[in-house]
Amino acid sequence: MEEYKIDLNCDLGESFGNYTLGNDPEVIPLITSANVACGYHASDPLVMQTTIRRAKEAGIEAGAHPGYPDLMGFGRRNLAVSPEEARVYTLYQLGALDAFCRAEGIRLQHVKPHGAFYNMAAKDYALSEAICGAIRDYDPSLIVLALYGGELVKAAKDMGLRVAEEYFADRAYEEDGSLVNRRKPGAMITDEEEAIERLIRMIKERRLQAITGKDIEMKGDSVCVHGDGAKALAFVKKIREALSREGISIVPLKEIV
Amino acid sequence: MEEYKIDLNCDLGESFGNYTLGNDPEVIPLITSANVACGYHASDPLVMQTTIRRAKEAGIEAGAHPGYPDLMGFGRRNLAVSPEEARVYTLYQLGALDAFCRAEGIRLQHVKPHGAFYNMAAKDYALSEAICGAIRDYDPSLIVLALYGGELVKAAKDMGLRVAEEYFADRAYEEDGSLVNRRKPGAMITDEEEAIERLIRMIKERRLQAITGKDIEMKGDSVCVHGDGAKALAFVKKIREALSREGISIVPLKEIV
Amino acid sequence: MEEYKIDLNCDLGESFGNYTLGNDPEVIPLITSANVACGYHASDPLVMQTTIRRAKEAGIEAGAHPGYPDLMGFGRRNLAVSPEEARVYTLYQLGALDAFCRAEGIRLQHVKPHGAFYNMAAKDYALSEAICGAIRDYDPSLIVLALYGGELVKAAKDMGLRVAEEYFADRAYEEDGSLVNRRKPGAMITDEEEAIERLIRMIKERRLQAITGKDIEMKGDSVCVHGDGAKALAFVKKIREALSREGISIVPLKEIV
Amino acid sequence: MEEYKIDLNCDLGESFGNYTLGNDPEVIPLITSANVACGYHASDPLVMQTTIRRAKEAGIEAGAHPGYPDLMGFGRRNLAVSPEEARVYTLYQLGALDAFCRAEGIRLQHVKPHGAFYNMAAKDYALSEAICGAIRDYDPSLIVLALYGGELVKAAKDMGLRVAEEYFADRAYEEDGSLVNRRKPGAMITDEEEAIERLIRMIKERRLQAITGKDIEMKGDSVCVHGDGAKALAFVKKIREALSREGISIVPLKEIV
């Protein structure tokens, strides 16, 4: 019998100074991989230390979540950085976060770019190559967590890095495996039961129905979940229950790729 | 015959974005240890990569030069951080800089706090202890470069870290081995010949005449030099010639402590 | 019959980017003067516009709340700025906030420094003089809102500016009219009824019992209230009810000084 | 006899903290309008005060030069801000700079967006409309200084604001009056004599030869000059001499539009 596995990842450690964001202590026990902000689009060194300590205590895996240097825009606005800038911003944030892992005696598992940096990388091979070059030069055993089928996946594979592809349970997909633009009708899967059914089929059959109705291949390794708000937390719990019922193991990325 | 040794350290990599500061390519061949800014009081990731590459090419040792998060004040204004903040700011900057060392395949040699952070640490044991705790938890083989006789030296020794004590050739000293306040007359040794003579005696005899006239013990391991401006560069060259004439080896910190 | 008046001021507009802080819409109807953050210790231009629009709609007065350039520390850590820096940081933030007032067609009423900037000014005449110089040069009709009896009050008076003195209902006072250090036992007035009784006596009799038991003079023009959390909001409502019961008018600073 | 007039504008006040950029004292006597950085892409409050004081002493006109909040990239990288963000970033910076003008008793003459903000505005009507809305709401007598023929010119005219169109003496133009992309051969007019001849013809005949050879209309009100470096300064002096020889007055924007 085949063993089915999936990782649940969540953005964490996004508080800053006097500002608290998200609900880290509540979502941590529900996930297997944490994407930890590194001080550019969110977080500060106190928050980073706290987040790494929480991940360690809970026994979940930590990854770096580097973003654009745009705290005011939370890294969600595209900034036209050069590939060289993408490289050094990745290195800087990777090292900064890893310092807290080293101080706590844990190993960083993965790197997932944040927000607009993630979206731009998915579309731009040169940017992705620069990000992957930084990761390889820093620690070639790190896993790259990237949008399913995007340029960052290609660049990571071309460079011989381990890659995990991310699946969004609440989003519809085009026939080519890309996300349906949020502005299009039907882009969001708002029915939680439907989202969970699709997720389970994706894990077991590696297939999904595209928005056009056509059945496509989809091999996600990790599902992005959220911890901000009671509704989001309840949805993660529902997902966990359904996965458990279906005999699907929830394991960190490093046990998948 | 006893072998005399001294390290020449200089703050480097203090440019930022579109702004250039200092004269790194000219001073690098003259020194043995570079204190590289880490993006808080100066520098950015592009500058950090360039600086680490230059240090590597020249074969000099690189150290982290963490400062207060005060780019506007160049880290020269005291900021009342807590020991815990001092710890995590050190970790953050240390890791960020080390990322560029790892990517270039070199090892970080030391850590020297910058500006007001350096001055506060020299006076405050709790702050120094927090900084040293960060260094030990990150990499206990790193050397702490600190003001001769200051609290940072004590905290590093108490924690079992390697310490190098810094000597200022252009400054007068009090009887207790502390620097004479800049506002006092005679605080600066403006005569270069005198400064060099004092330096040589300090290295060979481990003694120095305090501003009061009294002869005191002084065991500096490293001399702070500057690379900004033709005069500063000429002074470093003069120091090198004098040291060479006296048979004193100019070697990096790691060969001294 | 004498008419009794008091202003209720509150720090507002302290959100930043993706981060929300405080409960501005709920506290605005309860106060008469808003101290609006200006982007240095908190806030950003979108938040500033929103806050000024809310103040305008509610018909309350807006003041600038300039702080140290320390977003990570929320302006609560002392930063050793020079008087000249204090001057230009005040001018910068004052002008920036006033731009939103001008765009909305309202007039700025006052200036109250924030956090560590406020505390340092209260103790340092030179710093206070620099802040007041900035205010006078920008608009001499602005009211300075400052700690009762502090150096900022003196500097403002010496410069001929209008000054309002701030009273803290939840704090004990020394015989000289200064705040009891928070670390001392009895520094906080935790009993709300007692705090309100003291406030009413302060308004009507201009007197207060110091922590030593001695009766002292106290002429506060404005009470600092808070809007973060249900408890804080309930306390402001209690204060309003008590003031109303006692026939004390709650009016903005400009109707008092 | 017709009177010919032109304004010479230059970006000024781009130093920051410990970093000096440009050669403000030398270029100020050569120009009529200064575009003063406002602390987002460059400058800080001390630099802003110094720059406004220098402009005042020299009797030249000052304008606000707002940019993207990207100090690390000097405002030269496009940042995908919304029109609302463009509006409030303009208001914030405009007010901040104007505070120094008010303190010195001078009036702000114009607003010219900086770098990527300028380039994006020239191409995007919605962004331009937002910028112009901010300017109108702040002070409708301000002049908008914008790229010849761009969207910012259109938006300013549509809103009834005074507009000055900027001409680049060292750049070639397409037939439609837009700048030739820098990557195309012939984009830069490197021959200074040719650049000056073209400028004089543009002023006197309001015509210019496009890169295709076709003669086009060109009605520039202001020429952008640079003060960084001896060569740039020498070129400004040459331009001034030629204009003087031709009887063309060099006057600030407010005497032109």
Side-chain angles (χ1 to χ4, degrees):
Chain A
M1 194 189 113
E2 195 181 346
E3 194 200 353
Y4 298 114
K5 294 183 289 190
I6 192 83
D7 170 68
L8 297 184
N9 82 77
C10 183
D11 298 354
L12 290 188
E14 296 185 323
S15 294
F16 173 80
N18 200 35
Y19 301 104
T20 301
L21 197 71
N23 210 339
D24 292 5
E26 289 200 48
V27 80
I28 281 178
L30 305 176
I31 62 170
T32 37
S33 295
N35 316 308
V36 184
C38 306
Y40 261 40
H41 73 279
S43 195
D44 65 44
L46 281 173
V47 171
M48 287 162 73
Q49 177 169 273
T50 298
T51 308
I52 291 300
R53 286 178 174 173
R54 282 178 176 159
K56 182 188 179 186
E57 274 169 41
I60 64 167
E61 297 297 317
H65 195 43
Y68 285 132
D70 177 22
L71 193 63
M72 212 188 268
F74 202 64
R76 286 179 175 158
R77 306 183 290 199
N78 189 41
L79 178 70
V81 302
S82 68
E84 192 64 6
E85 289 168 330
R87 171 191 168 79
V88 296
Y89 293 174
T90 301
L91 271 172
Y92 186 93
Q93 295 179 72
L94 196 42
L97 183 72
D98 199 21
F100 296 96
C101 294
R102 288 179 67 162
E104 299 301 325
I106 67 169
R107 277 189 69 107
L108 209 54
Q109 177 195 239
H110 68 283
V111 181
K112 173 185 167 182
H114 167 83
F117 198 28
Y118 177 93
N119 293 329
M120 287 307 292
K123 286 183 280 191
D124 183 336
Y125 187 83
L127 205 68
S128 289
E129 208 177 15
I131 295 169
C132 290
I135 295 169
R136 177 201 56 201
D137 293 352
Y138 185 75
D139 177 356
S141 73
L142 287 166
I143 298 166
V144 181
L145 177 53
L147 180 67
Y148 178 79
E151 295 297 313
L152 186 53
V153 171
K154 292 196 191 105
K157 285 181 179 168
D158 288 352
M159 221 172 265
L161 294 173
R162 292 157 79 195
V163 200
E165 298 188 61
E166 190 170 29
Y167 172 76
F168 293 87
D170 58 350
R171 296 289 295 274
Y173 282 84
E174 299 285 357
E175 286 190 8
D176 67 354
S178 68
L179 291 169
V180 173
N181 191 301
R182 276 172 195 266
R183 285 179 211 138
K184 274 199 192 173
M188 305 303 296
I189 309 291
T190 50
D191 181 327
E192 294 191 347
E193 297 311 319
E194 185 191 345
I196 290 174
E197 266 171 46
R198 285 164 62 90
L199 170 61
I200 288 165
R201 183 171 174 235
M202 190 280 291
I203 297 169
K204 293 199 162 173
E205 302 178 17
R206 311 315 261 154
R207 301 199 70 77
L208 195 77
Q209 193 180 44
I211 195 165
T212 58
K214 193 182 164 186
D215 219 57
I216 61 167
E217 183 179 69
M218 173 66 53
K219 295 178 166 173
D221 302 301
S222 183
V223 184
C224 185
V225 299
H226 302 283
D228 44 343
K231 198 165 173 291
L233 284 168
F235 184 44
V236 188
K237 286 176 190 163
K238 261 194 200 166
I239 289 176
R240 290 185 66 94
E241 284 159 16
L243 294 173
S244 163
R245 215 161 42 226
E246 296 287 333
I248 298 164
S249 305
I250 304 172
V251 297
L253 289 178
K254 66 178 185 185
E255 297 180 24
I256 298 180
V257 297
Chain B
M1 194 190 114
E2 195 179 349
E3 192 200 354
Y4 298 114
K5 294 181 291 191
I6 193 82
D7 170 68
L8 298 184
N9 81 76
C10 183
D11 298 353
L12 288 189
E14 294 185 324
S15 294
F16 173 79
N18 200 36
Y19 301 103
T20 301
L21 197 72
N23 210 339
D24 292 5
E26 290 200 48
V27 80
I28 281 178
L30 306 177
I31 63 170
T32 36
S33 295
N35 315 309
V36 184
C38 306
Y40 261 40
H41 73 280
S43 195
D44 65 45
L46 281 173
V47 172
M48 287 162 73
Q49 178 170 272
T50 298
T51 308
I52 291 300
R53 286 179 175 172
R54 283 177 175 159
K56 183 188 178 184
E57 274 168 42
I60 64 168
E61 297 297 318
H65 195 42
Y68 285 133
D70 177 23
L71 193 63
M72 212 188 270
F74 203 65
R76 285 178 175 160
R77 308 183 290 198
N78 188 40
L79 178 70
V81 301
S82 67
E84 191 64 5
E85 288 168 332
R87 168 189 170 80
V88 295
Y89 292 174
T90 302
L91 271 173
Y92 186 93
Q93 295 179 72
L94 196 41
L97 183 72
D98 198 19
F100 295 97
C101 294
R102 289 178 67 163
E104 299 302 324
I106 67 169
R107 276 189 70 108
L108 209 54
Q109 177 194 241
H110 68 284
V111 181
K112 173 184 167 184
H114 167 83
F117 197 30
Y118 178 94
N119 293 330
M120 288 307 291
K123 285 182 281 189
D124 182 337
Y125 187 82
L127 205 67
S128 289
E129 207 178 15
I131 295 169
C132 290
I135 295 169
R136 176 203 56 199
D137 293 352
Y138 185 77
D139 177 357
S141 73
L142 287 166
I143 298 165
V144 180
L145 177 53
L147 180 69
Y148 178 81
E151 296 297 314
L152 186 53
V153 171
K154 290 195 192 105
K157 285 182 178 167
D158 289 351
M159 221 172 267
L161 294 174
R162 293 158 77 195
V163 200
E165 299 189 58
E166 189 170 29
Y167 172 77
F168 293 87
D170 57 350
R171 297 290 295 274
Y173 282 84
E174 300 285 356
E175 287 191 8
D176 65 356
S178 67
L179 291 168
V180 172
N181 191 303
R182 277 172 194 268
R183 286 180 210 136
K184 274 199 191 174
M188 305 303 297
I189 310 290
T190 51
D191 181 326
E192 294 191 349
E193 297 310 320
E194 184 191 349
I196 289 172
E197 267 173 44
R198 286 164 62 89
L199 170 61
I200 287 163
R201 182 172 176 235
M202 189 281 291
I203 298 168
K204 292 200 163 172
E205 303 178 18
R206 312 314 262 153
R207 299 199 71 78
L208 195 78
Q209 193 179 45
I211 194 165
T212 58
K214 192 182 165 186
D215 218 56
I216 60 168
E217 182 179 69
M218 173 68 51
K219 296 179 165 174
D221 304 300
S222 183
V223 184
C224 185
V225 300
H226 302 283
D228 44 344
K231 196 164 177 293
L233 283 168
F235 185 43
V236 189
K237 285 177 191 162
K238 261 195 198 167
I239 290 176
R240 289 186 66 93
E241 285 159 15
L243 294 173
S244 164
R245 214 162 41 228
E246 297 286 334
I248 298 165
S249 306
I250 305 172
V251 298
L253 289 179
K254 66 178 185 183
E255 297 180 26
I256 298 179
V257 299
Chain C
M1 194 189 113
E2 195 180 345
E3 194 200 353
Y4 299 115
K5 293 182 290 190
I6 192 84
D7 170 68
L8 298 184
N9 80 77
C10 183
D11 298 353
L12 290 189
E14 295 185 324
S15 294
F16 173 79
N18 200 36
Y19 300 104
T20 301
L21 198 72
N23 210 339
D24 292 5
E26 290 200 47
V27 80
I28 282 178
L30 305 176
I31 62 170
T32 37
S33 294
N35 316 308
V36 184
C38 306
Y40 261 40
H41 73 278
S43 195
D44 66 45
L46 281 173
V47 171
M48 287 161 75
Q49 177 170 272
T50 299
T51 308
I52 292 300
R53 286 178 174 173
R54 282 177 176 160
K56 182 188 178 186
E57 274 169 42
I60 66 168
E61 296 297 317
H65 195 43
Y68 284 133
D70 177 23
L71 193 63
M72 212 188 269
F74 203 65
R76 285 179 176 158
R77 307 183 290 199
N78 189 41
L79 178 70
V81 302
S82 67
E84 192 63 6
E85 289 168 330
R87 170 190 169 78
V88 295
Y89 293 174
T90 301
L91 271 172
Y92 187 92
Q93 295 179 71
L94 196 42
L97 183 72
D98 199 19
F100 295 96
C101 294
R102 290 178 66 163
E104 299 300 324
I106 68 169
R107 277 190 69 107
L108 210 54
Q109 177 195 239
H110 68 283
V111 181
K112 173 184 166 182
H114 167 84
F117 197 30
Y118 178 93
N119 293 329
M120 288 308 292
K123 286 183 279 191
D124 182 337
Y125 188 81
L127 204 67
S128 289
E129 208 178 18
I131 295 169
C132 290
I135 296 169
R136 176 202 57 201
D137 293 352
Y138 185 75
D139 177 357
S141 74
L142 286 166
I143 299 166
V144 180
L145 177 53
L147 180 68
Y148 178 80
E151 295 298 313
L152 187 52
V153 171
K154 292 195 190 105
K157 285 181 178 168
D158 288 352
M159 221 171 266
L161 293 174
R162 293 158 78 195
V163 200
E165 299 189 59
E166 189 170 29
Y167 171 76
F168 292 87
D170 58 350
R171 297 288 296 274
Y173 282 84
E174 300 285 356
E175 286 190 8
D176 66 356
S178 67
L179 290 169
V180 173
N181 190 303
R182 276 171 195 267
R183 285 179 211 139
K184 274 199 191 174
M188 306 303 296
I189 308 291
T190 51
D191 181 328
E192 295 191 348
E193 298 310 319
E194 183 190 348
I196 290 172
E197 268 172 44
R198 285 165 62 91
L199 169 60
I200 287 164
R201 185 175 173 231
M202 189 281 289
I203 298 169
K204 293 199 161 173
E205 302 179 18
R206 312 313 261 155
R207 300 199 72 77
L208 195 77
Q209 193 179 44
I211 195 166
T212 58
K214 192 182 167 188
D215 219 56
I216 61 167
E217 182 179 69
M218 173 67 52
K219 295 179 165 173
D221 302 301
S222 183
V223 184
C224 185
V225 299
H226 302 283
D228 44 343
K231 197 165 174 292
L233 285 168
F235 184 44
V236 188
K237 285 177 190 164
K238 263 194 197 166
I239 289 176
R240 290 184 67 93
E241 284 159 15
L243 295 172
S244 164
R245 215 162 42 227
E246 297 286 334
I248 298 164
S249 306
I250 304 172
V251 296
L253 289 178
K254 66 179 184 184
E255 297 180 25
I256 297 180
V257 298
Chain D
M1 192 190 114
E2 195 181 349
E3 193 201 353
Y4 299 114
K5 295 182 290 191
I6 193 82
D7 169 70
L8 297 184
N9 81 77
C10 183
D11 298 353
L12 289 187
E14 295 185 324
S15 294
F16 173 81
N18 201 34
Y19 301 104
T20 302
L21 197 72
N23 211 339
D24 292 4
E26 289 201 49
V27 80
I28 281 178
L30 306 176
I31 62 170
T32 35
S33 295
N35 316 309
V36 185
C38 306
Y40 261 40
H41 73 279
S43 195
D44 66 45
L46 281 173
V47 172
M48 287 162 73
Q49 178 169 272
T50 299
T51 308
I52 291 300
R53 286 178 174 173
R54 283 177 176 160
K56 182 188 179 185
E57 275 169 40
I60 64 167
E61 297 296 319
H65 195 42
Y68 285 133
D70 177 24
L71 193 63
M72 213 187 268
F74 203 64
R76 286 178 175 161
R77 306 184 290 199
N78 189 41
L79 178 69
V81 302
S82 68
E84 191 65 6
E85 289 168 331
R87 169 190 169 79
V88 295
Y89 292 174
T90 302
L91 271 172
Y92 186 93
Q93 295 179 71
L94 196 41
L97 183 72
D98 198 20
F100 296 96
C101 294
R102 290 178 67 161
E104 299 302 324
I106 67 169
R107 277 189 69 107
L108 210 54
Q109 177 195 240
H110 68 283
V111 181
K112 173 184 167 183
H114 166 83
F117 197 29
Y118 178 92
N119 293 329
M120 286 307 292
K123 286 183 280 191
D124 183 336
Y125 187 83
L127 205 68
S128 290
E129 207 177 16
I131 295 169
C132 290
I135 296 169
R136 176 203 56 200
D137 293 352
Y138 185 76
D139 177 356
S141 73
L142 287 165
I143 298 166
V144 180
L145 178 53
L147 179 68
Y148 178 80
E151 295 297 314
L152 186 53
V153 171
K154 291 195 191 105
K157 286 183 178 166
D158 288 351
M159 221 172 265
L161 294 173
R162 294 159 77 195
V163 200
E165 298 189 59
E166 189 168 30
Y167 171 77
F168 293 87
D170 58 351
R171 296 290 295 274
Y173 283 84
E174 300 285 357
E175 286 190 10
D176 66 355
S178 67
L179 291 168
V180 172
N181 191 304
R182 277 174 195 266
R183 285 178 210 137
K184 275 198 190 173
M188 305 303 296
I189 309 291
T190 50
D191 181 328
E192 295 191 347
E193 297 311 320
E194 185 191 346
I196 290 172
E197 267 172 46
R198 286 164 62 90
L199 170 61
I200 288 165
R201 183 172 174 234
M202 190 280 291
I203 298 169
K204 293 201 162 171
E205 302 179 20
R206 309 315 258 155
R207 301 200 70 77
L208 195 77
Q209 194 181 44
I211 195 165
T212 58
K214 194 182 164 186
D215 219 56
I216 60 167
E217 182 178 69
M218 173 68 52
K219 295 179 166 174
D221 303 301
S222 184
V223 183
C224 184
V225 301
H226 302 283
D228 43 344
K231 196 164 174 293
L233 283 167
F235 185 43
V236 188
K237 285 176 190 162
K238 262 196 200 167
I239 289 176
R240 289 185 66 93
E241 285 159 16
L243 294 173
S244 164
R245 214 161 42 227
E246 296 286 334
I248 298 164
S249 306
I250 304 171
V251 297
L253 289 178
K254 66 179 185 184
E255 297 180 24
I256 297 179
V257 297

